[in-house]
Amino acid sequence: MSLSQPPLRQGLALGRREHLVVLLTFTSGSVDAIGFVALGGAFTSVMTGNLVLTGIGAAHGDWSLLGRAAAAIVAYILGCAIGARVAGPATTVNAYWPAAVTRALSVEFALLLVFAGGWWLNSGHPNAAALALLTVNAAALGVQSAAIQRFGVPGLSTTYLTGTLTTLVVRLANRQPHADLRLYGQLLVALIGGAAAGTFLALDAPWWTPALPLLCLLTVVVAGRRLIAPEP
């Protein structure tokens, strides 16, 4: 997608990118919920929550809780580092879906495949493997978090949405019209919907639990390839 493309075509591409970003948010919501309800009560992308859990675990001498939260934090950091290296830094290139983002999301997909394999090997009840699977998922969402930064859109995230919620409320309260308000609302709804779907599967249809994030992410990877633009 070159800089000389007509605005209408650029707008269509940007709209399609937003749809895929919303689907990525749905994916992260499902993975986070799976981690919390089925893998020991820690988060896989909400590191603020895990930092609080680390403090709670330390204060109460709950070394199991502290260990789960700390392991998720470390795995997420490693995932972010990998995602940043694969996706690269944000640029001003008018490419709505850089090829590097697809490469990073492919790494995330590989990590979710590892999670799926471990989950299915344990017949949907990981138990002893829960910590290992939690760290794999945290690394996967770390990769996704870093990959989205490649778009260079200030404040855009598909994993941690406290800032998104704050921005939405502030702009609504101040009656500030903004083109991003619709996207912010969609991201928040997608996160909640993904969490609800992931929770339902983990508790009521455990065998199918890994299929949801895998299918969503595969859709994004395949569809994103159609939006890849040549980069300098």
Side-chain angles (χ1 to χ4, degrees):
M1 186 177 297
S2 67
L3 292 172
S4 61
Q5 285 189 316
L8 177 59
R9 188 173 178 185
Q10 292 185 21
L12 289 173
L14 182 58
R16 291 169 184 162
R17 187 188 79 178
E18 289 181 353
H19 293 156
L20 297 183
V21 167
V22 170
L23 185 54
L24 281 176
T25 306
F26 183 91
T27 304
S28 66
S30 68
V31 174
D32 240 331
I34 292 166
F36 191 80
V37 304
L39 299 177
F43 298 101
T44 51
S45 75
V46 186
M47 292 303 111
T48 301
N50 282 338
L51 289 169
V52 172
L53 291 177
T54 301
I56 292 172
H60 287 276
D62 188 342
W63 307 118
S64 177
L65 175 61
L66 190 153
R68 288 193 303 273
I73 293 170
V74 172
Y76 181 86
I77 291 172
L78 291 175
C80 280
I82 294 170
R85 293 293 296 177
V86 175
T91 68
T92 57
V93 176
N94 190 12
Y96 292 137
W97 199 272
V101 171
T102 295
R103 289 194 292 271
L105 294 180
S106 297
V107 173
E108 180 188 4
F109 185 78
L111 288 169
L112 290 182
L113 277 177
V114 172
F115 160 72
W119 181 277
W120 284 324
L121 282 174
N122 288 276
S123 301
H125 302 284
N127 300 323
L131 180 59
L133 297 183
L134 178 73
T135 57
V136 169
N137 278 356
L141 291 191
V143 172
Q144 182 185 135
S145 298
I148 296 306
Q149 299 302 305
R150 178 66 171 78
F151 292 137
V153 179
L156 181 63
S157 174
T158 59
T159 53
Y160 44 92
L161 270 67
T162 301
T164 302
L165 177 61
T166 303
T167 301
L168 178 62
V169 173
V170 168
R171 289 180 176 172
L172 287 174
N174 291 325
R175 298 180 180 178
Q176 294 177 313
H178 198 288
D180 289 339
L181 291 184
R182 175 182 53 80
L183 176 59
Y184 293 162
Q186 290 176 343
L187 293 175
L188 293 169
V189 171
L191 187 73
I192 295 170
T199 300
F200 170 78
L201 290 175
L203 297 179
D204 298 308
W207 181 259
W208 298 102
T209 299
L212 177 63
L214 283 174
L215 180 60
C216 291
L217 187 57
L218 180 61
T219 300
V220 173
V221 170
V222 172
R225 290 183 182 278
R226 297 186 178 184
L227 297 178
I228 290 175
E231 300 179 44

